Amino acid sequence: MKFDVLIIGGGLAGLATAIKFDNAVTVALIIKKNFSTSSSHWAQGGVAGVLNKDDKLELHEQDTLVAGAGLCNKDAVKFVVENSEQSIQWLIDQGIEFTKTKDNQSLHLTKEGGHSLNRIAHVADFTGKAIQEKLIEQVSAKKNITVFENHTAVDLITNKKINQKNSTNKCLGAYILNNQTGQVISISAKKTVLASGGVSKAYLYTTNPPVSTGDGIAMAWRAGCEIKNMEFIQFHPTCLFHPMERSFLISETLRGEGGVLTLPNKEKFMHKYHPLADLAPRDIVARAIDNEMKQHGLEYVLLDITMLDADFIKKRFPNIYDHCYKLGIDITEEAIPVVPAAHYTCGGVTTDLDAKTTINGLYAVGETACTGLHGANRLASNSLLECLVFSSAAVEHISNCLNESNNEALPSWDESRVSNPDEAVMILQTWNELRRFMWNYVGIVRTNQRLKRAFDRIEILKDEIQHYYKNFIISPDLLELRNLLQVSELIILSALSRKESRGLHFSKDFPEKLDHAEDTVLRLD
Ligand code: SIN
């Protein structure tokens, strides 16, 4: 199959990129499960932007830089913040109905940790779902976009891989598995865009949907791309703690509206850790909770919003109210049990301001990319914004050079592999093992010894899975596990090479921050 552009991933980054192309550009959009299984769909908070007269571009930039702990790329920060207003306007133009102020005159702007003022546009507490649903309508209406739901990308095809050894590395398309038929097709594309989200499923506890298995980052690495800052995994401080529900986010906007964290005996603790107390940057809040839980032997802490008016809570947080109520927690009357959980990948595939990776013909947008916006810790609600700004940048750059590019003939997938009855149990066992030791050894607080232990395990598991990948018929589960092992290795290698604590990376062996901030850059050669 031949397309002008191949986009891998159906969250906000993928959908916005697909929609923004002119109707004359043919687009293949690969979605691993279905439209509603992306992290964007689950996003509650909102989209940060400079939207009113009290705010200034410099203030949003400054908050982003402070959260990023000295590691942000200042050009990327400026670029994103400068484009924030028009990005939010683009969403409004697509029909997204953001929550308005009481007088209905302007957008209701809320606050989250690290923001010096209210600047987050939101749709109650289901911003991501509201955006995704509208954009899915747009994608379905556009005849130039062919959607492949239930298809998993296997690997990128590059000219180096198909034996054009002496030429510059260039992405030519990808092998794509039809999850239902098991058939692998090769899609030839003049340009390929990775928009497949982050890696949080490498951890036992996460706020992300099951699809967050780092596919784009792993494929880019195998294709020879530069990867940056993978040690910076953001743990969201407040994931619901409940035996029936492991991945439900309790949005930071609850604290933005006045909610406070307490111990089970109702004692507040965040003031001991930061002057902004409950609205300190996320890394500080997550580590504070982790510390309190360890110190007091707790399974969870509490987030209390019962001081707010019950009607306000139900109107402002309908999704969280309903979800908790169904699980037996009335958040207007009782505090919510919460724990930190893996939430966002700040590092990823190195990209520039055009969303270009270090390989010709390959772009990355959204959580898959490392644009430098987030540095060592992402400021809340900057991620949907980043998807919007860099989808435009990618579309502009690709559109300007599409005429100079051709589709290349690609080799077919090797169909000679056989099935293996042991695969399911091996995948389940390896997946459980990986997620547990990533949580325990490569989590919120790290040590060299724990990281080395995790690295040794990864090398053994990677060999095992590679054997399955090479010899047996591939399945979506096997591909996800292969990718998770790859990105876990990249996280550990990056964490081991950082000899300091900065932002989201905290090492007991190197508790101080060095004077000079440097990216962790990984390259295959
Ligand atoms: C939240 O609503 O707390 C999450 C927002 C974000 O991760 O930016």
Side-chain angles (χ1 to χ4, degrees), residues 17-274:
T17 307
I19 292 168
K20 288 174 184 178
F21 277 111
D22 185 89
N23 288 342
V25 177
T26 58
V27 176
L29 180 61
I30 309 298
I31 297 178
K32 201 158 58 164
K33 293 235 156 49
N34 53 50
F35 273 123
S36 56
T37 45
S38 65
S39 290
S40 305
H41 208 97
W42 287 21
Q44 296 177 357
V47 191
V50 178
L51 298 165
N52 76 15
K53 58 179 174 26
D54 301 327
D55 204 356
K56 287 192 173 60
L57 296 175
E58 299 75 41
L59 283 179
H60 188 177
E61 283 174 28
Q62 189 55 25
D63 291 345
T64 304
L65 294 170
V66 170
L71 211 63
C72 298
N73 172 338
K74 288 190 178 148
D75 292 339
V77 174
K78 199 166 174 354
F79 181 60
V80 170
V81 171
E82 280 177 356
N83 282 291
S84 61
E85 189 179 0
Q86 75 179 63
S87 297
I88 292 168
Q89 187 57 49
W90 183 81
L91 288 177
I92 295 169
D93 296 342
Q94 307 310 303
I96 307 331
E97 292 179 18
F98 285 102
T99 299
K100 295 267 183 58
T101 48
K102 272 199 191 125
D103 59 9
N104 224 13
Q105 292 302 303
S106 46
L107 296 185
H108 176 263
L109 301 178
T110 191
K111 198 173 183 185
E112 289 184 74
H115 287 275
S116 51
L117 43 74
N118 290 35
R119 66 160 70 91
I120 298 161
H122 63 100
V123 183
D125 62 348
F126 50 88
T127 311
K129 182 166 179 281
I131 294 174
Q132 288 288 107
E133 283 175 354
K134 271 282 177 259
L135 297 193
I136 290 163
E137 282 173 25
Q138 312 271 349
V139 164
S140 310
K142 287 198 75 173
K143 300 242 173 341
N144 60 318
I145 304 175
T146 307
V147 179
F148 294 79
E149 276 189 282
N150 260 311
H151 281 69
T152 306
V154 181
D155 249 330
L156 298 170
I157 306 173
T158 60
N159 53 0
K160 288 219 162 156
K161 278 196 199 162
I162 59 171
N163 288 328
Q164 299 173 5
K165 295 276 184 236
N166 294 329
S167 43
T168 331
N169 205 3
K170 180 178 167 199
C171 181
L172 308 174
Y175 288 118
I176 307 289
L177 169 72
N178 179 327
N179 297 347
Q180 274 149 353
T181 64
Q183 195 200 359
V184 178
I185 50 172
S186 29
I187 293 189
S188 165
K190 293 177 187 170
K191 304 288 172 195
T192 299
V193 182
L194 297 171
S196 57
V199 309
S200 289
K201 231 20 208 182
Y203 288 89
L204 189 56
Y205 301 108
T206 171
T207 61
N208 283 200
V211 291
S212 299
T213 51
D215 305 345
I217 298 173
M219 286 191 293
W221 174 252
R222 289 192 293 264
C225 280
E226 180 182 297
I227 306 286
K228 219 163 40 186
N229 293 344
M230 284 299 289
E231 67 274 41
F232 299 110
I233 301 295
Q234 185 172 69
F235 292 85
H236 196 289
T238 58
C239 178
L240 179 67
F241 178 83
H242 193 280
M244 304 297 288
E245 180 61 88
R246 282 188 145 196
S247 291
F248 188 68
L249 179 70
I250 303 294
S251 173
E252 201 159 292
T253 52
L254 270 75
R255 280 176 282 134
E257 299 290 350
V260 284
L261 289 160
T262 75
L263 299 175
N265 65 6
K266 300 205 162 112
E267 197 188 320
K268 297 176 187 165
F269 57 85
M270 271 314 300
H271 59 280
K272 293 189 290 184
Y273 295 89
H274 196 274

Side-chain angles (χ1 to χ4, degrees), residues 73 228 349-353 355-357 363-365 369-372 390:
N73 172 338
K228 219 163 40 186
V349 185
T350 305
T351 52
D352 63 13
L353 293 187
K356 292 201 315 283
T357 69
Y363 298 71
V365 182
C370 181
T371 63
F390 281 96

